Amino acid sequence: MRHTCRGTINLATANITVEDSCNFIISNGGAQTYHLKASSEVERQRWVTALELAKAKAVKMLAESDESGDEESVSQTDKTELQNTLRTLSSKVEDLSTCNDLIAKHGTALQRSLSELESLRLPAESNEKIKQVNERATLFRITSNAMINACRDFLTLAQTHSKKWQKSLQYERDQRIRLEETLEQLAKQHNHLERAFRGATVLPAHPSGSAGPGKDQCCSGKGDMSDEDDENEFFDAPEIITMPENLGHKRTGSNISGASSDISLDEQYKHQLEETKKEKRTKIPYKPNYSLNLWSIMKNCIGKELSKIPMPVNFNEPLSMLQRLTEDLEYHELLDRAAKCENSLEQLCYVAAFTVSSYSTTVSRTSKPFNPLLGETFELDRLEENGFRSICEQVSHHPPAAAHHAESKNGWTLRQEIKITSKFRGKYLSIMPLGTIHCIFKETGHHYTWKKVTTTVHNIIVGKLWIDQSGEIDIINHKTGDKCNLKFVPYSYFSRDVARKVTGEVTDPSGKVHFILLGTWDEKMDCFKVQPVAGENGGDARQRSCEAEESRVMLWKRNPLPKNAEYMYYFSELALTLNAWEAGTAPTDSRLRPDQRLMENGRWDEANAEKQRLEEKQRLSRKKREAEAVKATEDGTPYDPYKALWFKREKDPITKELTHTYRGGYWECKEKQEWTACPDIF
């Protein structure tokens, strides 16, 4: 394993001692100690001598720096800028001095005139007024002189301390650069160690006696080179841990033969059609062990909107945002059960469980989906198997927005338009979905709406990535007035609560609680019926959930992940099928997106090149539309802006928001295979 930096010791304050003929020790007084070993006594003495000389030089440089700190050189640009500033200040002070001379001259003339007025025979009241004006003119002249003197003092002070200020500014700049370099180095080291650990965990177990205990002790003892605690002693001769080169899935990239790369993606996957009709796929190619330094890209993205920053596919998973949106339907059976409920409050419990279940797929999914191209679509037809079908379309690119419509023959319709905004805050990434989700039950006419909570990805720079959900969701039945309030409790290191906890209350229009919901967004949700009990004053008091254990009903439980999911981006069973090739889909379907398909097959170099081509094509299309709009404005002719193909923008009667709703026609076009209206985006 390649050695990495284990820390630093200031030579000016270091203690260098000889331990024996080949070993010597460097320490800084107790916080850090390094044991170093030379190959021979002669080499050890050469190292000790060189270090002592370097220490003496460091001590001398430190003393000189303290004595003549003000004389440290700065860049010529900074010197010029400082001199220009001082020259400007000096010029302004000269202007103020000129003004002061004029004020003094006119003030003297004013006082002379006032004195002449006093000598005239004027009423007593006039003499008093003239004296007051004379005194005020004198005070004004004194004040202006004081202001000029203060300006001169400021200029003198600026000239005296300018070098110190420049030195402090340069120091802050150097500190910032060092901090960036340190963070980048930490990210590289962590990435390297994580890959080495992943490689070690997939090694087959050695038969007994094939490996001695010495190596195991090296890995678990002082030789583990942990940087967690600075008080550990580091030894320079640990056993070298060798890692096999062929671990996991081998990435195929630019080394693919020309013959194989000429085969079109459609032809490559058409042979899977018959198998897809009979049985859904249960696995995809394993994720390649291909590393990339995240910090080198993210350090320039702090505070920016990530949807506008081009990212390599190394940070993606082989699904688009439209497919991730369709994953909300993984537990569609909850809506099937809700459609059968006669009680609206019980129905609301199942809708709430469905809302929570949509986050269960995110617990380990730290890779980002592909940003859909404008006009990109994704269909999921499960009408025969599960009784529903769904269509998504990317209706806006900046800001990115996707419209989704799903309908079931079991009596429910789900529609939503979600705009994704995200901000990188340095240590974490916040993802804020904006938009309202609607669920309508045909038989009862119950219309529910709710919004999504904020998703946060932690440890962006250093550490293992992990995801948390936080915020509140209000699910409202607009027909009955029933309401469910769900609280997603953010993770806290100091909290004793179970992680990823979700609590909720189902209330009627009067605010009376009928059900309590409790669970976690990554595992399950339970429901407790609240029974009224007699209160202290003869009224009704709400029974606590712990007292109604017998009324517990498990609304939802997460399905286990497929075997080897950790090598397949932690995809669920549904997610594994979403990108499988299907016949008859629209030419804009996400399954036909070439960069996404190449990435799924492990051909990441080609996928990155293809991704750049698609993004450039999209930029050219946008510029063309903008040019047409400008020309239409100049000519005074009407211009129709971009409109989605399968969705129309209109005012929602419930929320009063402008949103995209399904206009119909997709499934009819699929039946006829009439796709002439579809844009060429791939």
Side-chain angles (χ1 to χ4, degrees):
M1 186 170 65
R2 186 177 63 217
H3 288 292
T4 53
C5 178
R6 306 175 192 173
T8 59
I9 289 180
N10 189 348
L11 269 179
T13 58
N15 296 322
I16 305 170
T17 57
V18 175
E19 192 173 23
D20 54 33
S21 60
C22 293
N23 295 305
F24 60 99
I25 301 171
I26 305 176
S27 70
N28 59 359
Q32 287 178 299
T33 302
Y34 295 132
H35 295 253
L36 303 175
K37 182 179 181 180
S39 59
S40 65
E41 185 174 358
V42 175
E43 185 184 3
R44 183 217 67 192
Q45 191 56 45
R46 288 174 60 192
W47 271 103
V48 171
T49 303
L51 288 169
E52 290 288 359
L53 290 173
K55 177 182 176 180
K57 186 177 180 181
V59 171
K60 183 179 178 182
M61 289 175 63
L62 185 63
E64 291 176 354
S65 175
D66 291 339
E67 292 173 2
S68 58
D70 293 342
E71 301 299 325
E72 286 190 7
S73 62
V74 295
S75 66
Q76 191 62 34
T77 304
D78 292 336
K79 280 184 177 180
T80 304
E81 183 179 352
L82 183 62
Q83 289 170 358
N84 290 336
T85 303
L86 290 173
R87 197 177 297 115
T88 304
L89 283 173
S90 181
S91 174
K92 295 298 180 184
V93 171
E94 290 297 329
D95 293 343
L96 286 172
S97 181
T98 303
C99 292
N100 178 67
D101 293 339
L102 290 172
I103 289 171
K105 178 180 177 182
H106 294 306
T108 303
L110 177 62
Q111 284 181 325
R112 189 182 307 114
S113 299
L114 290 171
S115 299
E116 291 173 356
L117 283 174
E118 286 180 357
S119 64
L120 297 176
R121 292 181 180 181
L122 295 173
E125 293 181 1
S126 299
N127 288 331
E128 289 296 326
K129 291 290 183 183
I130 291 171
K131 286 182 180 179
Q132 289 179 5
V133 173
N134 197 1
E135 290 173 357
R136 288 176 181 174
T138 303
L139 288 173
F140 178 74
R141 189 172 63 179
I142 293 172
T143 305
S144 65
N145 286 332
M147 181 186 69
I148 296 299
N149 291 333
C151 289
R152 283 201 177 96
D153 292 342
F154 171 75
L155 181 60
T156 304
L157 187 66
Q159 290 172 336
T160 303
H161 294 279
S162 62
K163 291 184 178 180
K164 290 185 178 180
W165 294 343
Q166 190 63 35
K167 177 186 174 184
S168 299
L169 180 61
Q170 188 64 33
Y171 175 77
E172 292 298 329
R173 289 174 179 169
D174 293 342
Q175 284 289 89
R176 179 177 60 82
I177 293 172
R178 278 195 293 269
L179 178 61
E180 286 186 358
E181 291 174 349
T182 303
L183 285 172
E184 185 170 0
Q185 185 67 19
L186 281 172
K188 288 179 179 177
Q189 292 175 21
H190 179 269
N191 190 24
H192 175 73
L193 291 171
E194 203 171 45
R195 288 186 1 248
F197 175 75
R198 281 201 301 266
T201 55
V202 299
L203 285 174
H206 291 287
S208 59
S210 62
K215 290 187 179 180
D216 293 337
Q217 291 171 0
C218 170
C219 294
S220 60
K222 292 183 178 179
D224 62 354
M225 299 175 289
S226 171
D227 289 331
E228 296 285 334
D229 191 347
D230 282 343
E231 294 186 3
N232 287 341
E233 292 190 1
F234 298 108
F235 292 82
D236 198 43
E239 297 257 358
I240 301 300
I241 305 172
T242 57
M243 298 296 171
E245 294 182 0
N246 338 334
L247 288 179
H249 175 77
K250 287 188 178 179
R251 182 173 66 91
T252 57
S254 56
N255 58 344
I256 296 177
S257 65
S260 64
S261 60
D262 288 339
I263 300 175
S264 70
L265 295 174
D266 287 351
E267 292 175 357
Q268 189 175 354
Y269 285 90
K270 278 182 180 178
H271 73 276
Q272 298 178 357
L273 175 60
E274 294 303 323
E275 295 179 4
T276 304
K277 285 184 177 179
K278 299 175 185 176
E279 184 179 355
K280 304 300 178 186
R281 69 176 182 178
T282 58
K283 62 180 181 179
I284 60 175
Y286 285 178
K287 180 180 180 180
N289 190 10
Y290 187 97
S291 65
L292 186 69
N293 183 9
L294 179 61
W295 175 246
S296 64
I297 293 176
M298 300 297 285
K299 66 181 179 182
N300 297 320
C301 306
I302 296 177
K304 296 182 181 179
E305 169 60 55
L306 290 190
S307 63
K308 297 182 180 180
I309 299 170
M311 291 280 190
V313 300
N314 306 55
F315 301 126
N316 287 39
E317 61 181 19
L319 289 178
S320 75
M321 190 62 210
L322 302 180
Q323 291 164 314
R324 283 291 292 267
L325 204 58
T326 306
E327 280 191 75
D328 286 357
L329 298 170
E330 177 153 4
Y331 298 94
H332 60 88
E333 63 272 7
L334 291 170
L335 296 181
D336 295 341
R337 287 185 227 162
K340 297 177 183 178
C341 290
E342 298 180 358
N343 186 304
S344 63
L345 294 169
E346 292 180 3
Q347 186 180 71
L348 183 51
C349 291
Y350 282 106
V351 174
F354 172 79
T355 303
V356 175
S357 72
S358 64
Y359 296 97
S360 64
T361 60
T362 66
V363 63
S364 300
R365 302 269 289 277
T366 54
S367 300
K368 68 181 288 291
F370 279 79
N371 289 332
L373 303 171
L374 186 62
E376 186 174 334
T377 60
F378 179 73
E379 66 156 79
L380 185 66
D381 190 352
R382 296 287 188 270
L383 203 59
E384 294 183 4
E385 303 96 318
N386 306 117
F388 75 89
R389 60 186 181 184
S390 136
I391 175 68
C392 291
E393 182 180 2
Q394 187 77 358
V395 295
S396 172
H397 187 61
H398 285 311
H404 179 210
H405 180 89
E407 55 190 11
S408 170
K409 62 183 181 183
N410 294 320
W412 55 265
T413 300
L414 185 78
R415 61 179 174 87
Q416 58 184 320
E417 180 184 349
I418 299 296
K419 300 179 180 69
I420 299 294
T421 61
S422 55
K423 290 289 184 181
F424 176 49
R425 306 295 185 182
K427 291 174 63 178
Y428 62 91
L429 171 68
S430 294
I431 302 168
M432 294 80 70
L434 307 176
T436 304
I437 305 170
H438 298 255
C439 183
I440 304 103
F441 292 94
K442 185 177 180 181
E443 187 173 339
T444 60
H446 292 164
H447 189 141
Y448 298 90
T449 63
W450 67 91
K451 296 178 182 291
K452 290 181 176 286
V453 296
T454 299
T455 300
T456 306
V457 185
H458 294 271
N459 290 347
I460 292 292
I461 300 175
V462 177
K464 183 179 180 181
L465 294 175
W466 61 279
I467 291 179
D468 196 21
Q469 314 286 350
S470 59
E472 295 190 16
I473 295 178
D474 287 326
I475 307 173
I476 302 172
N477 186 335
H478 292 274
K479 181 179 180 181
T480 64
D482 300 336
K483 182 179 177 181
C484 175
N485 175 257
L486 292 172
K487 294 181 180 178
F488 288 68
V489 181
Y491 174 80
S492 173
Y493 181 80
F494 302 101
S495 175
R496 294 184 178 181
D497 275 340
V498 62
R500 309 180 186 94
K501 183 179 179 180
V502 181
T503 62
E505 291 183 345
V506 176
T507 59
D508 60 20
S510 66
K512 183 180 178 181
V513 180
H514 291 263
F515 293 94
I516 292 177
L517 306 179
L518 184 63
T520 58
W521 53 263
D522 66 325
E523 284 296 335
K524 65 174 184 174
M525 285 297 293
D526 292 331
C527 171
F528 300 88
K529 187 173 179 61
V530 175
Q531 301 292 342
V533 295
E536 295 180 359
N537 299 324
D540 288 345
R542 198 177 80 192
Q543 184 178 9
R544 294 187 307 176
S545 60
C546 59
E547 298 171 354
E549 187 65 29
E550 67 278 359
S551 68
R552 176 195 292 263
V553 175
M554 182 183 291
L555 298 173
W556 161 76
K557 185 177 181 181
R558 181 190 179 196
N559 296 327
L561 289 175
K563 185 179 179 182
N564 296 324
E566 64 273 19
Y567 303 118
M568 299 183 292
Y569 309 89
Y570 288 94
F571 280 180
S572 63
E573 290 184 359
L574 174 63
L576 288 174
T577 67
L578 293 180
N579 208 41
W581 193 89
E582 291 185 11
T585 61
T588 53
D589 197 89
S590 297
R591 299 176 180 88
L592 304 177
R593 182 167 174 163
D595 55 346
Q596 188 172 300
R597 181 67 69 189
L598 287 165
M599 189 221 166
E600 182 182 85
N601 290 335
R603 296 157 65 176
W604 286 13
D605 291 338
E606 296 171 71
N608 276 317
E610 190 65 23
K611 184 172 183 288
Q612 291 180 5
R613 182 189 69 81
L614 292 174
E615 289 173 350
E616 183 60 29
K617 183 176 182 179
Q618 181 169 240
R619 278 190 287 271
L620 292 175
S621 298
R622 186 183 71 248
K623 289 179 181 178
K624 182 181 178 182
R625 287 194 301 270
E626 291 172 351
E628 291 174 353
V630 171
K631 187 176 185 300
T633 303
E634 293 174 350
D635 298 343
T637 57
Y639 173 76
D640 291 332
Y642 177 83
K643 293 181 181 178
L645 184 59
W646 309 110
F647 290 80
K648 59 182 177 180
R649 196 164 188 253
E650 59 185 6
K651 189 175 183 179
D652 187 88
I654 299 294
T655 63
K656 309 303 180 184
E657 300 172 347
L658 283 175
T659 185
H660 283 84
T661 56
Y662 181 55
R663 70 168 77 236
Y666 179 86
W667 303 108
E668 292 77 7
C669 287
K670 181 182 179 182
E671 186 176 350
K672 300 174 185 177
Q673 285 297 292
E674 178 61 48
W675 303 118
T676 53
C678 292
D680 176 21
I681 59 174
F682 298 144

